[in-house]
C-alpha cells in the first residue's frame, strides 16, 4: 500500500542540535531562516520548518535549552556541597574552559555570548534563559565564597560578591578569548593564577 503523506526527512532532535551549533556560533539575530534551513538538511521547506518548530524564536528556545541541559552543566559543580568551596570553583573554571576550547563545536560559551545573541529590545526576551543561566552561575560562585566564610576558611567580612566576580569575570573572558584562538593550555595556567586570589584571602591556620 502506498505511504500516506510526505515522510519527515530529518531527525528533529538532531535538527535542534544543529540549530544550537549555528545559534552558538552566530547568535539569534545574526542567524537567518535560510541558514537554519540549510543547517537542518533534508531540503526542509519553510512550511515544514514552521510545522516542526513553530518559529525561529521557538527553535532558538529549544536550542538554548539543549545547550543548558548539556554543555552548560560544566558549572553545576558550584552547587555540589560534597566539594570543598575552593575545589568547586576551580573545577567549574577548568571544566568550562576545557569545554569552551573544544574543537568539536563552536568556541566559547553560548550562555556567556548570549548577552550579544539578541541585543536589540525587540528580541531581548528570547535570550532570557541564557541571562538566567549566567545569573545562576554568578550565584553559584557567591554561594561557594559564602560557604568558605561559613566554614572559617575565609574571613567573615569577605565581600562575597566582589570575590565571586573575580571568578565569574574570568569565565566571561574565556568566552571571548577562545573566539580569538586562545587555547586551553593558556587558560589552564591562568586558572592556577586566579585561584591564588582565593588563597590570598584565606585565613591562616
Amino acid at each position: 500500500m502506498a505511504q500516506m503523506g510526505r515522510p519527515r526527512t530529518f531527525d528533529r532532535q538532531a535538527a535542534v542540535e544543529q540549530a544550537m551549533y549555528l545559534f552558538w556560533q552566530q547568535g539569534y539575530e545574526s542567524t537567518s531562516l535560510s541558514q537554519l534551513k540549510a543547517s537542518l538538511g533534508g531540503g526542509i521547506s519553510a512550511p515544514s520548518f514552521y510545522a516542526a518548530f513553530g518559529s525561529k524564536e521557538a527553535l532558538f528556545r529549544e536550542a538554548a535549552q539543549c545547550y543548558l541541559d548539556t554543555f552548560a552543566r560544566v558549572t553545576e559543580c558550584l552547587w555540589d556541597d560534597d566539594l570543598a568551596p575552593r575545589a568547586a570553583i576551580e573545577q567549574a573554571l577548568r571544566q568550562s574552559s576545557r569545554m569552551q576550547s573544544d574543537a568539536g563545536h563552536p568556541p566559547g560559551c553560548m550562555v556567556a555570548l548570549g548577552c550579544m545573541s539578541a541585543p536589540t529590545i525587540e528580541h531581548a526576551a528570547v535570550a532570557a534563559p541564557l541571562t538566567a543561566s549566567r545569573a545562576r552561575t554568578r550565584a553559584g560562585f557567591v554561594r561557594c565564597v559564602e560557604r568558605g566564610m561559613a566554614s572559617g576558611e575565609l574571613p567573615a567580612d569577605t565581600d562575597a560578591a566582589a570575590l565571586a566576580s573575580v571568578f565569574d569575570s574570568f569565565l566571561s573572558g574565556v568566552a571571548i578569548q577562545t573566539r580569538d584562538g586562545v587555547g586551553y593550555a593558556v587558560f589552564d595556567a591562568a586558572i592556577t593564577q586566579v585561584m591564588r586570589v582565593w588563597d590570598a584571602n584565606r585565613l591562616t591556620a
Side-chain angles (χ1 to χ4, degrees), residues 52-90:
F53 303 110
S55 66
K56 174 184 167 182
E57 178 177 342
L59 177 54
F60 180 84
R61 291 186 183 279
E62 282 196 57
Q65 191 59 53
C66 182
Y67 183 91
L68 295 175
D69 290 341
T70 54
F71 294 100
R73 295 193 62 78
V74 290
T75 56
E76 280 301 298
C77 55
L78 294 171
W79 301 89
D80 185 354
D81 287 346
D82 290 334
L83 290 173
R86 185 191 187 282
I89 289 175
E90 183 170 6

PDB file of all heavy atoms in Angstrom, residues 52-90:
ATOM      1  N   ALA A  52       7.329  22.093  12.059  1.00  0.00           N
ATOM      2  CA  ALA A  52       8.152  21.356  13.014  1.00  0.00           C
ATOM      3  C   ALA A  52       8.501  22.175  14.250  1.00  0.00           C
ATOM      4  O   ALA A  52       8.500  21.653  15.375  1.00  0.00           O
ATOM      5  CB  ALA A  52       9.435  20.885  12.332  1.00  0.00           C
ATOM      6  N   PHE A  53       8.793  23.470  14.068  1.00  0.00           N
ATOM      7  CA  PHE A  53       9.329  24.263  15.169  1.00  0.00           C
ATOM      8  C   PHE A  53       8.487  25.476  15.557  1.00  0.00           C
ATOM      9  O   PHE A  53       8.716  26.066  16.611  1.00  0.00           O
ATOM     10  CB  PHE A  53      10.746  24.729  14.818  1.00  0.00           C
ATOM     11  CG  PHE A  53      11.686  23.604  14.511  1.00  0.00           C
ATOM     12  CD1 PHE A  53      12.144  23.393  13.220  1.00  0.00           C
ATOM     13  CD2 PHE A  53      12.087  22.729  15.503  1.00  0.00           C
ATOM     14  CE1 PHE A  53      13.001  22.355  12.923  1.00  0.00           C
ATOM     15  CE2 PHE A  53      12.947  21.686  15.228  1.00  0.00           C
ATOM     16  CZ  PHE A  53      13.399  21.482  13.932  1.00  0.00           C
ATOM     17  N   GLY A  54       7.556  25.855  14.738  1.00  0.00           N
ATOM     18  CA  GLY A  54       6.696  26.981  15.071  1.00  0.00           C
ATOM     19  C   GLY A  54       7.239  28.315  14.614  1.00  0.00           C
ATOM     20  O   GLY A  54       6.553  29.069  13.934  1.00  0.00           O
ATOM     21  N   SER A  55       8.471  28.616  14.981  1.00  0.00           N
ATOM     22  CA  SER A  55       9.076  29.893  14.617  1.00  0.00           C
ATOM     23  C   SER A  55      10.570  29.822  14.888  1.00  0.00           C
ATOM     24  O   SER A  55      11.059  28.911  15.585  1.00  0.00           O
ATOM     25  CB  SER A  55       8.470  31.044  15.425  1.00  0.00           C
ATOM     26  OG  SER A  55       8.795  30.902  16.806  1.00  0.00           O
ATOM     27  N   LYS A  56      11.294  30.770  14.371  1.00  0.00           N
ATOM     28  CA  LYS A  56      12.727  30.875  14.654  1.00  0.00           C
ATOM     29  C   LYS A  56      12.950  31.067  16.154  1.00  0.00           C
ATOM     30  O   LYS A  56      13.857  30.471  16.746  1.00  0.00           O
ATOM     31  CB  LYS A  56      13.330  32.038  13.869  1.00  0.00           C
ATOM     32  CG  LYS A  56      14.797  32.342  14.191  1.00  0.00           C
ATOM     33  CD  LYS A  56      15.273  33.578  13.436  1.00  0.00           C
ATOM     34  CE  LYS A  56      16.591  34.087  13.973  1.00  0.00           C
ATOM     35  NZ  LYS A  56      17.068  35.307  13.288  1.00  0.00           N
ATOM     36  N   GLU A  57      12.119  31.891  16.779  1.00  0.00           N
ATOM     37  CA  GLU A  57      12.253  32.133  18.215  1.00  0.00           C
ATOM     38  C   GLU A  57      12.039  30.852  19.006  1.00  0.00           C
ATOM     39  O   GLU A  57      12.786  30.550  19.951  1.00  0.00           O
ATOM     40  CB  GLU A  57      11.255  33.201  18.669  1.00  0.00           C
ATOM     41  CG  GLU A  57      11.300  33.470  20.174  1.00  0.00           C
ATOM     42  CD  GLU A  57      10.362  34.573  20.602  1.00  0.00           C
ATOM     43  OE1 GLU A  57       9.929  35.352  19.736  1.00  0.00           O
ATOM     44  OE2 GLU A  57      10.063  34.652  21.810  1.00  0.00           O
ATOM     45  N   ALA A  58      11.021  30.073  18.624  1.00  0.00           N
ATOM     46  CA  ALA A  58      10.747  28.823  19.334  1.00  0.00           C
ATOM     47  C   ALA A  58      11.897  27.840  19.175  1.00  0.00           C
ATOM     48  O   ALA A  58      12.278  27.138  20.122  1.00  0.00           O
ATOM     49  CB  ALA A  58       9.443  28.206  18.823  1.00  0.00           C
ATOM     50  N   LEU A  59      12.486  27.800  17.976  1.00  0.00           N
ATOM     51  CA  LEU A  59      13.624  26.918  17.753  1.00  0.00           C
ATOM     52  C   LEU A  59      14.822  27.373  18.580  1.00  0.00           C
ATOM     53  O   LEU A  59      15.551  26.546  19.142  1.00  0.00           O
ATOM     54  CB  LEU A  59      13.984  26.892  16.264  1.00  0.00           C
ATOM     55  CG  LEU A  59      15.224  26.063  15.880  1.00  0.00           C
ATOM     56  CD1 LEU A  59      15.117  24.631  16.394  1.00  0.00           C
ATOM     57  CD2 LEU A  59      15.427  26.078  14.365  1.00  0.00           C
ATOM     58  N   PHE A  60      15.033  28.687  18.675  1.00  0.00           N
ATOM     59  CA  PHE A  60      16.136  29.181  19.496  1.00  0.00           C
ATOM     60  C   PHE A  60      15.953  28.768  20.950  1.00  0.00           C
ATOM     61  O   PHE A  60      16.918  28.366  21.614  1.00  0.00           O
ATOM     62  CB  PHE A  60      16.237  30.703  19.405  1.00  0.00           C
ATOM     63  CG  PHE A  60      17.361  31.266  20.235  1.00  0.00           C
ATOM     64  CD1 PHE A  60      18.651  31.313  19.731  1.00  0.00           C
ATOM     65  CD2 PHE A  60      17.137  31.739  21.521  1.00  0.00           C
ATOM     66  CE1 PHE A  60      19.697  31.826  20.501  1.00  0.00           C
ATOM     67  CE2 PHE A  60      18.170  32.245  22.297  1.00  0.00           C
ATOM     68  CZ  PHE A  60      19.456  32.293  21.783  1.00  0.00           C
ATOM     69  N   ARG A  61      14.734  28.854  21.445  1.00  0.00           N
ATOM     70  CA  ARG A  61      14.484  28.467  22.838  1.00  0.00           C
ATOM     71  C   ARG A  61      14.785  26.984  23.045  1.00  0.00           C
ATOM     72  O   ARG A  61      15.358  26.596  24.073  1.00  0.00           O
ATOM     73  CB  ARG A  61      13.050  28.795  23.231  1.00  0.00           C
ATOM     74  CG  ARG A  61      12.768  30.292  23.313  1.00  0.00           C
ATOM     75  CD  ARG A  61      11.373  30.580  23.849  1.00  0.00           C
ATOM     76  NE  ARG A  61      11.087  31.995  23.849  1.00  0.00           N
ATOM     77  CZ  ARG A  61      11.499  32.858  24.785  1.00  0.00           C
ATOM     78  NH1 ARG A  61      12.214  32.425  25.792  1.00  0.00           N
ATOM     79  NH2 ARG A  61      11.194  34.142  24.702  1.00  0.00           N
ATOM     80  N   GLU A  62      14.410  26.155  22.082  1.00  0.00           N
ATOM     81  CA  GLU A  62      14.731  24.728  22.180  1.00  0.00           C
ATOM     82  C   GLU A  62      16.232  24.508  22.120  1.00  0.00           C
ATOM     83  O   GLU A  62      16.781  23.684  22.866  1.00  0.00           O
ATOM     84  CB  GLU A  62      14.056  23.946  21.054  1.00  0.00           C
ATOM     85  CG  GLU A  62      12.583  23.677  21.253  1.00  0.00           C
ATOM     86  CD  GLU A  62      12.069  22.596  20.324  1.00  0.00           C
ATOM     87  OE1 GLU A  62      12.618  21.467  20.350  1.00  0.00           O
ATOM     88  OE2 GLU A  62      11.134  22.885  19.550  1.00  0.00           O
ATOM     89  N   ALA A  63      16.887  25.215  21.219  1.00  0.00           N
ATOM     90  CA  ALA A  63      18.328  25.078  21.076  1.00  0.00           C
ATOM     91  C   ALA A  63      19.050  25.537  22.344  1.00  0.00           C
ATOM     92  O   ALA A  63      20.009  24.904  22.794  1.00  0.00           O
ATOM     93  CB  ALA A  63      18.815  25.887  19.876  1.00  0.00           C
ATOM     94  N   ALA A  64      18.589  26.638  22.918  1.00  0.00           N
ATOM     95  CA  ALA A  64      19.190  27.139  24.160  1.00  0.00           C
ATOM     96  C   ALA A  64      19.007  26.137  25.286  1.00  0.00           C
ATOM     97  O   ALA A  64      19.925  25.889  26.071  1.00  0.00           O
ATOM     98  CB  ALA A  64      18.578  28.482  24.532  1.00  0.00           C
ATOM     99  N   GLN A  65      17.822  25.539  25.367  1.00  0.00           N
ATOM    100  CA  GLN A  65      17.574  24.548  26.420  1.00  0.00           C
ATOM    101  C   GLN A  65      18.438  23.317  26.208  1.00  0.00           C
ATOM    102  O   GLN A  65      18.931  22.721  27.178  1.00  0.00           O
ATOM    103  CB  GLN A  65      16.098  24.149  26.441  1.00  0.00           C
ATOM    104  CG  GLN A  65      15.712  23.337  27.673  1.00  0.00           C
ATOM    105  CD  GLN A  65      15.987  24.084  28.972  1.00  0.00           C
ATOM    106  OE1 GLN A  65      15.552  25.224  29.147  1.00  0.00           O
ATOM    107  NE2 GLN A  65      16.725  23.454  29.885  1.00  0.00           N
ATOM    108  N   CYS A  66      18.642  22.939  24.947  1.00  0.00           N
ATOM    109  CA  CYS A  66      19.536  21.822  24.637  1.00  0.00           C
ATOM    110  C   CYS A  66      20.942  22.116  25.155  1.00  0.00           C
ATOM    111  O   CYS A  66      21.598  21.245  25.748  1.00  0.00           O
ATOM    112  CB  CYS A  66      19.543  21.572  23.129  1.00  0.00           C
ATOM    113  SG  CYS A  66      20.571  20.182  22.594  1.00  0.00           S
ATOM    114  N   TYR A  67      21.405  23.343  24.964  1.00  0.00           N
ATOM    115  CA  TYR A  67      22.728  23.741  25.460  1.00  0.00           C
ATOM    116  C   TYR A  67      22.758  23.712  26.987  1.00  0.00           C
ATOM    117  O   TYR A  67      23.707  23.198  27.591  1.00  0.00           O
ATOM    118  CB  TYR A  67      23.077  25.131  24.951  1.00  0.00           C
ATOM    119  CG  TYR A  67      24.460  25.588  25.357  1.00  0.00           C
ATOM    120  CD1 TYR A  67      25.560  25.347  24.540  1.00  0.00           C
ATOM    121  CD2 TYR A  67      24.673  26.247  26.570  1.00  0.00           C
ATOM    122  CE1 TYR A  67      26.834  25.749  24.908  1.00  0.00           C
ATOM    123  CE2 TYR A  67      25.941  26.645  26.956  1.00  0.00           C
ATOM    124  CZ  TYR A  67      27.020  26.395  26.123  1.00  0.00           C
ATOM    125  OH  TYR A  67      28.281  26.783  26.516  1.00  0.00           O
ATOM    126  N   LEU A  68      21.720  24.244  27.610  1.00  0.00           N
ATOM    127  CA  LEU A  68      21.677  24.305  29.068  1.00  0.00           C
ATOM    128  C   LEU A  68      21.658  22.908  29.688  1.00  0.00           C
ATOM    129  O   LEU A  68      22.196  22.696  30.778  1.00  0.00           O
ATOM    130  CB  LEU A  68      20.453  25.100  29.529  1.00  0.00           C
ATOM    131  CG  LEU A  68      20.445  26.584  29.149  1.00  0.00           C
ATOM    132  CD1 LEU A  68      19.124  27.230  29.546  1.00  0.00           C
ATOM    133  CD2 LEU A  68      21.614  27.319  29.797  1.00  0.00           C
ATOM    134  N   ASP A  69      21.041  21.968  28.989  1.00  0.00           N
ATOM    135  CA  ASP A  69      20.935  20.599  29.505  1.00  0.00           C
ATOM    136  C   ASP A  69      22.203  19.783  29.286  1.00  0.00           C
ATOM    137  O   ASP A  69      22.320  18.674  29.829  1.00  0.00           O
ATOM    138  CB  ASP A  69      19.767  19.866  28.835  1.00  0.00           C
ATOM    139  CG  ASP A  69      18.410  20.403  29.259  1.00  0.00           C
ATOM    140  OD1 ASP A  69      18.336  21.064  30.312  1.00  0.00           O
ATOM    141  OD2 ASP A  69      17.421  20.164  28.530  1.00  0.00           O
ATOM    142  N   THR A  70      23.125  20.305  28.502  1.00  0.00           N
ATOM    143  CA  THR A  70      24.335  19.548  28.165  1.00  0.00           C
ATOM    144  C   THR A  70      25.599  20.347  28.489  1.00  0.00           C
ATOM    145  O   THR A  70      26.144  20.230  29.585  1.00  0.00           O
ATOM    146  CB  THR A  70      24.307  19.140  26.675  1.00  0.00           C
ATOM    147  OG1 THR A  70      24.098  20.323  25.856  1.00  0.00           O
ATOM    148  CG2 THR A  70      23.170  18.156  26.402  1.00  0.00           C
ATOM    149  N   PHE A  71      26.039  21.154  27.563  1.00  0.00           N
ATOM    150  CA  PHE A  71      27.319  21.853  27.701  1.00  0.00           C
ATOM    151  C   PHE A  71      27.374  22.769  28.928  1.00  0.00           C
ATOM    152  O   PHE A  71      28.408  22.884  29.580  1.00  0.00           O
ATOM    153  CB  PHE A  71      27.610  22.664  26.433  1.00  0.00           C
ATOM    154  CG  PHE A  71      27.825  21.823  25.217  1.00  0.00           C
ATOM    155  CD1 PHE A  71      26.812  21.640  24.287  1.00  0.00           C
ATOM    156  CD2 PHE A  71      29.045  21.199  24.982  1.00  0.00           C
ATOM    157  CE1 PHE A  71      27.010  20.864  23.153  1.00  0.00           C
ATOM    158  CE2 PHE A  71      29.259  20.415  23.858  1.00  0.00           C
ATOM    159  CZ  PHE A  71      28.233  20.241  22.941  1.00  0.00           C
ATOM    160  N   ALA A  72      26.269  23.418  29.237  1.00  0.00           N
ATOM    161  CA  ALA A  72      26.270  24.391  30.330  1.00  0.00           C
ATOM    162  C   ALA A  72      26.400  23.752  31.707  1.00  0.00           C
ATOM    163  O   ALA A  72      26.665  24.449  32.696  1.00  0.00           O
ATOM    164  CB  ALA A  72      24.998  25.245  30.280  1.00  0.00           C
ATOM    165  N   ARG A  73      26.254  22.455  31.792  1.00  0.00           N
ATOM    166  CA  ARG A  73      26.305  21.784  33.091  1.00  0.00           C
ATOM    167  C   ARG A  73      27.728  21.708  33.669  1.00  0.00           C
ATOM    168  O   ARG A  73      27.909  21.228  34.789  1.00  0.00           O
ATOM    169  CB  ARG A  73      25.686  20.393  32.990  1.00  0.00           C
ATOM    170  CG  ARG A  73      24.184  20.449  32.670  1.00  0.00           C
ATOM    171  CD  ARG A  73      23.509  19.114  32.881  1.00  0.00           C
ATOM    172  NE  ARG A  73      23.586  18.664  34.263  1.00  0.00           N
ATOM    173  CZ  ARG A  73      22.821  19.113  35.248  1.00  0.00           C
ATOM    174  NH1 ARG A  73      21.910  20.043  35.023  1.00  0.00           N
ATOM    175  NH2 ARG A  73      22.953  18.634  36.475  1.00  0.00           N
ATOM    176  N   VAL A  74      28.708  22.200  32.926  1.00  0.00           N
ATOM    177  CA  VAL A  74      30.085  22.171  33.426  1.00  0.00           C
ATOM    178  C   VAL A  74      30.267  23.013  34.684  1.00  0.00           C
ATOM    179  O   VAL A  74      31.244  22.830  35.416  1.00  0.00           O
ATOM    180  CB  VAL A  74      31.084  22.627  32.344  1.00  0.00           C
ATOM    181  CG1 VAL A  74      31.199  21.593  31.236  1.00  0.00           C
ATOM    182  CG2 VAL A  74      30.704  23.992  31.779  1.00  0.00           C
ATOM    183  N   THR A  75      29.341  23.921  34.961  1.00  0.00           N
ATOM    184  CA  THR A  75      29.471  24.751  36.166  1.00  0.00           C
ATOM    185  C   THR A  75      28.520  24.310  37.284  1.00  0.00           C
ATOM    186  O   THR A  75      28.457  24.972  38.330  1.00  0.00           O
ATOM    187  CB  THR A  75      29.216  26.234  35.843  1.00  0.00           C
ATOM    188  OG1 THR A  75      27.932  26.370  35.230  1.00  0.00           O
ATOM    189  CG2 THR A  75      30.288  26.784  34.917  1.00  0.00           C
ATOM    190  N   GLU A  76      27.807  23.218  37.097  1.00  0.00           N
ATOM    191  CA  GLU A  76      26.883  22.752  38.134  1.00  0.00           C
ATOM    192  C   GLU A  76      27.602  22.311  39.402  1.00  0.00           C
ATOM    193  O   GLU A  76      27.006  22.242  40.472  1.00  0.00           O
ATOM    194  CB  GLU A  76      26.006  21.618  37.601  1.00  0.00           C
ATOM    195  CG  GLU A  76      24.833  22.092  36.764  1.00  0.00           C
ATOM    196  CD  GLU A  76      23.912  23.022  37.546  1.00  0.00           C
ATOM    197  OE1 GLU A  76      23.325  22.584  38.557  1.00  0.00           O
ATOM    198  OE2 GLU A  76      23.800  24.196  37.146  1.00  0.00           O
ATOM    199  N   CYS A  77      28.901  22.025  39.294  1.00  0.00           N
ATOM    200  CA  CYS A  77      29.668  21.641  40.481  1.00  0.00           C
ATOM    201  C   CYS A  77      29.708  22.751  41.519  1.00  0.00           C
ATOM    202  O   CYS A  77      30.002  22.500  42.699  1.00  0.00           O
ATOM    203  CB  CYS A  77      31.090  21.236  40.083  1.00  0.00           C
ATOM    204  SG  CYS A  77      31.972  22.487  39.124  1.00  0.00           S
ATOM    205  N   LEU A  78      29.394  23.968  41.119  1.00  0.00           N
ATOM    206  CA  LEU A  78      29.346  25.079  42.082  1.00  0.00           C
ATOM    207  C   LEU A  78      28.273  24.846  43.140  1.00  0.00           C
ATOM    208  O   LEU A  78      28.324  25.452  44.219  1.00  0.00           O
ATOM    209  CB  LEU A  78      29.064  26.397  41.353  1.00  0.00           C
ATOM    210  CG  LEU A  78      30.155  26.889  40.393  1.00  0.00           C
ATOM    211  CD1 LEU A  78      29.647  28.081  39.591  1.00  0.00           C
ATOM    212  CD2 LEU A  78      31.425  27.249  41.154  1.00  0.00           C
ATOM    213  N   TRP A  79      27.319  23.981  42.844  1.00  0.00           N
ATOM    214  CA  TRP A  79      26.211  23.713  43.765  1.00  0.00           C
ATOM    215  C   TRP A  79      26.362  22.380  44.478  1.00  0.00           C
ATOM    216  O   TRP A  79      25.437  21.934  45.161  1.00  0.00           O
ATOM    217  CB  TRP A  79      24.886  23.769  42.998  1.00  0.00           C
ATOM    218  CG  TRP A  79      24.676  25.100  42.342  1.00  0.00           C
ATOM    219  CD1 TRP A  79      25.064  25.487  41.097  1.00  0.00           C
ATOM    220  CD2 TRP A  79      24.060  26.246  42.931  1.00  0.00           C
ATOM    221  NE1 TRP A  79      24.729  26.796  40.860  1.00  0.00           N
ATOM    222  CE2 TRP A  79      24.109  27.293  41.972  1.00  0.00           C
ATOM    223  CE3 TRP A  79      23.454  26.482  44.174  1.00  0.00           C
ATOM    224  CZ2 TRP A  79      23.589  28.555  42.217  1.00  0.00           C
ATOM    225  CZ3 TRP A  79      22.938  27.739  44.421  1.00  0.00           C
ATOM    226  CH2 TRP A  79      23.013  28.761  43.447  1.00  0.00           C
ATOM    227  N   ASP A  80      27.530  21.760  44.345  1.00  0.00           N
ATOM    228  CA  ASP A  80      27.784  20.449  44.944  1.00  0.00           C
ATOM    229  C   ASP A  80      28.414  20.624  46.322  1.00  0.00           C
ATOM    230  O   ASP A  80      29.600  20.946  46.439  1.00  0.00           O
ATOM    231  CB  ASP A  80      28.701  19.637  44.015  1.00  0.00           C
ATOM    232  CG  ASP A  80      28.911  18.211  44.499  1.00  0.00           C
ATOM    233  OD1 ASP A  80      28.451  17.876  45.613  1.00  0.00           O
ATOM    234  OD2 ASP A  80      29.551  17.431  43.767  1.00  0.00           O
ATOM    235  N   ASP A  81      27.637  20.388  47.353  1.00  0.00           N
ATOM    236  CA  ASP A  81      28.124  20.570  48.722  1.00  0.00           C
ATOM    237  C   ASP A  81      29.114  19.490  49.144  1.00  0.00           C
ATOM    238  O   ASP A  81      29.723  19.592  50.213  1.00  0.00           O
ATOM    239  CB  ASP A  81      26.959  20.611  49.706  1.00  0.00           C
ATOM    240  CG  ASP A  81      26.165  21.902  49.615  1.00  0.00           C
ATOM    241  OD1 ASP A  81      26.666  22.863  48.999  1.00  0.00           O
ATOM    242  OD2 ASP A  81      25.031  21.954  50.148  1.00  0.00           O
ATOM    243  N   ASP A  82      29.259  18.431  48.331  1.00  0.00           N
ATOM    244  CA  ASP A  82      30.252  17.408  48.645  1.00  0.00           C
ATOM    245  C   ASP A  82      31.655  17.865  48.271  1.00  0.00           C
ATOM    246  O   ASP A  82      32.640  17.231  48.668  1.00  0.00           O
ATOM    247  CB  ASP A  82      29.925  16.106  47.904  1.00  0.00           C
ATOM    248  CG  ASP A  82      28.681  15.419  48.456  1.00  0.00           C
ATOM    249  OD1 ASP A  82      28.376  15.628  49.645  1.00  0.00           O
ATOM    250  OD2 ASP A  82      28.014  14.688  47.702  1.00  0.00           O
ATOM    251  N   LEU A  83      31.736  18.938  47.510  1.00  0.00           N
ATOM    252  CA  LEU A  83      33.032  19.509  47.148  1.00  0.00           C
ATOM    253  C   LEU A  83      33.349  20.677  48.073  1.00  0.00           C
ATOM    254  O   LEU A  83      32.467  21.473  48.409  1.00  0.00           O
ATOM    255  CB  LEU A  83      33.014  20.018  45.701  1.00  0.00           C
ATOM    256  CG  LEU A  83      32.951  18.984  44.580  1.00  0.00           C
ATOM    257  CD1 LEU A  83      32.761  19.691  43.238  1.00  0.00           C
ATOM    258  CD2 LEU A  83      34.218  18.137  44.556  1.00  0.00           C
ATOM    259  N   ALA A  84      34.610  20.799  48.480  1.00  0.00           N
ATOM    260  CA  ALA A  84      35.030  21.993  49.206  1.00  0.00           C
ATOM    261  C   ALA A  84      34.809  23.198  48.296  1.00  0.00           C
ATOM    262  O   ALA A  84      34.936  23.086  47.072  1.00  0.00           O
ATOM    263  CB  ALA A  84      36.491  21.876  49.608  1.00  0.00           C
ATOM    264  N   PRO A  85      34.455  24.358  48.857  1.00  0.00           N
ATOM    265  CA  PRO A  85      34.116  25.506  48.002  1.00  0.00           C
ATOM    266  C   PRO A  85      35.225  25.918  47.045  1.00  0.00           C
ATOM    267  O   PRO A  85      34.957  26.234  45.876  1.00  0.00           O
ATOM    268  CB  PRO A  85      33.772  26.611  49.001  1.00  0.00           C
ATOM    269  CG  PRO A  85      34.313  26.160  50.314  1.00  0.00           C
ATOM    270  CD  PRO A  85      34.274  24.675  50.280  1.00  0.00           C
ATOM    271  N   ARG A  86      36.455  25.909  47.503  1.00  0.00           N
ATOM    272  CA  ARG A  86      37.560  26.278  46.600  1.00  0.00           C
ATOM    273  C   ARG A  86      37.667  25.265  45.470  1.00  0.00           C
ATOM    274  O   ARG A  86      37.858  25.630  44.300  1.00  0.00           O
ATOM    275  CB  ARG A  86      38.884  26.350  47.368  1.00  0.00           C
ATOM    276  CG  ARG A  86      40.045  26.844  46.514  1.00  0.00           C
ATOM    277  CD  ARG A  86      41.394  26.635  47.240  1.00  0.00           C
ATOM    278  NE  ARG A  86      42.500  27.232  46.518  1.00  0.00           N
ATOM    279  CZ  ARG A  86      43.082  26.701  45.441  1.00  0.00           C
ATOM    280  NH1 ARG A  86      42.611  25.567  44.935  1.00  0.00           N
ATOM    281  NH2 ARG A  86      44.113  27.311  44.865  1.00  0.00           N
ATOM    282  N   ALA A  87      37.550  23.986  45.807  1.00  0.00           N
ATOM    283  CA  ALA A  87      37.647  22.927  44.794  1.00  0.00           C
ATOM    284  C   ALA A  87      36.507  23.034  43.793  1.00  0.00           C
ATOM    285  O   ALA A  87      36.702  22.791  42.596  1.00  0.00           O
ATOM    286  CB  ALA A  87      37.633  21.561  45.472  1.00  0.00           C
ATOM    287  N   ALA A  88      35.320  23.395  44.270  1.00  0.00           N
ATOM    288  CA  ALA A  88      34.173  23.535  43.367  1.00  0.00           C
ATOM    289  C   ALA A  88      34.407  24.654  42.361  1.00  0.00           C
ATOM    290  O   ALA A  88      34.094  24.510  41.172  1.00  0.00           O
ATOM    291  CB  ALA A  88      32.909  23.803  44.181  1.00  0.00           C
ATOM    292  N   ILE A  89      34.946  25.764  42.837  1.00  0.00           N
ATOM    293  CA  ILE A  89      35.231  26.879  41.934  1.00  0.00           C
ATOM    294  C   ILE A  89      36.293  26.495  40.913  1.00  0.00           C
ATOM    295  O   ILE A  89      36.133  26.726  39.705  1.00  0.00           O
ATOM    296  CB  ILE A  89      35.679  28.118  42.734  1.00  0.00           C
ATOM    297  CG1 ILE A  89      34.492  28.707  43.488  1.00  0.00           C
ATOM    298  CG2 ILE A  89      36.306  29.167  41.809  1.00  0.00           C
ATOM    299  CD1 ILE A  89      34.848  29.862  44.410  1.00  0.00           C
ATOM    300  N   GLU A  90      37.375  25.893  41.376  1.00  0.00           N
ATOM    301  CA  GLU A  90      38.446  25.521  40.455  1.00  0.00           C
ATOM    302  C   GLU A  90      37.943  24.503  39.425  1.00  0.00           C
ATOM    303  O   GLU A  90      38.274  24.605  38.229  1.00  0.00           O
ATOM    304  CB  GLU A  90      39.642  24.945  41.211  1.00  0.00           C
ATOM    305  CG  GLU A  90      40.807  24.624  40.300  1.00  0.00           C
ATOM    306  CD  GLU A  90      42.089  24.282  41.056  1.00  0.00           C
ATOM    307  OE1 GLU A  90      42.040  24.192  42.302  1.00  0.00           O
ATOM    308  OE2 GLU A  90      43.129  24.109  40.391  1.00  0.00           O
TER     309      GLU A  90
END
